[in-house]
Amino acid sequence: DIQMTQSPSTLSASVGDRVTITCRASQSISSWLAWYQQKPGKAPKLLIYKASTLESGVPSRFSGYGSGTEFTLTISSLQPDDFATYYCQQYNSLWTFGQGTKVEIK
Amino acid sequence: EVQLVESGGGLVQPGGSLRLSCAASGFTFSNYEMNWVRQAPGKGLEWLSYISGNDNNRYYADSVKGRFSISRDNAQNSLYLQMNSLRAEDTAVYYCAKVVAQLPRFWGQGTLVTVSS
């Protein structure tokens, strides 16, 4: 089974900050990596797929990078609506989610 | 408009069974793969099970293999998850999700399952 490890688990930041979340796969998943945003009590929302492709309607301040086993999600200028929990997910072999990164207000 | 509505959650004793349903509307249900994903209270997302549109393929996470069974009724536009031998660690919100291009792009609102004596 492919394991996904995110870091950090929690990230404290201010509006306007540039933030980066890292996701590592236990084996190569090529570019079969997606990123989701989840707010309390809500279902996850797809932000990025195939490591770096922005889902329709997602603001351009979100970007993804990486291939193989190392991936990043960057928010270029954090907005109030972006405080949430972010998950990576591999879909190279079935599905596996990372454990999540909570972005909280500093 | 795509809608997915889960039902069937509730309180069940350890060792018990429960059947979750997901009613789909707003799309041609038989054309799409579907998945179940769960989230324990305060924890992350866990993929549980996959079923192809024509029901030819079913896959499970190791954590539920042999205890949970996914199925679908395309005539009724419904997805199911039969859960047996439930454990305390199965307590979670259970989501059904419509798969588009390999990924869950549409999710239901979730149904809470609590396993406790």
Side-chain angles (χ1 to χ4, degrees), chain A residues 78-100:
Chain A
L78 201 62
Q79 298 302 300
D81 191 48
D82 301 338
F83 292 98
T85 301
Y86 294 84
Y87 295 92
C88 63
Q89 178 209 24
Q90 69 82 18
Y91 55 109
N92 179 73
S93 173
L94 296 178
W95 292 357
T96 313
F97 290 94
Q99 80 279 16

Side-chain angles (χ1 to χ4, degrees), chain A residues 1 36 38 55 87 89 95, chain B residues 39 47 62 102-105:
Chain A
D1 290 5
Y36 295 84
Q38 187 181 33
E55 178 74 340
Y87 295 92
Q89 178 209 24
W95 292 357
Chain B
Q39 187 167 35
W47 169 77
D62 288 345
Q102 300 177 274
L103 287 170
R105 283 178 161 83

Side-chain angles (χ1 to χ4, degrees), chain A residues 11-15 17 78 83 103-106:
Chain A
L11 190 159
S12 298
S14 302
V15 172
D17 285 353
L78 201 62
F83 292 98
V103 177
E104 60 180 26
I105 299 173
K106 190 173 186 179

Side-chain angles (χ1 to χ4, degrees), chain A residues 10-59:
Chain A
T10 306
L11 190 159
S12 298
S14 302
V15 172
D17 285 353
R18 179 183 180 90
V19 302
T20 298
I21 300 167
T22 298
C23 179
R24 289 186 173 86
S26 60
Q27 64 189 74
S28 177
I29 57 170
S30 185
S31 296
W32 302 114
L33 191 283
W35 290 96
Y36 295 84
Q37 177 193 67
Q38 187 181 33
K39 296 183 178 179
K42 300 292 187 182
K45 171 188 172 185
L46 179 65
L47 299 175
I48 287 170
Y49 61 96
K50 215 165 180 191
S52 61
T53 303
L54 211 61
E55 178 74 340
S56 177
V58 174

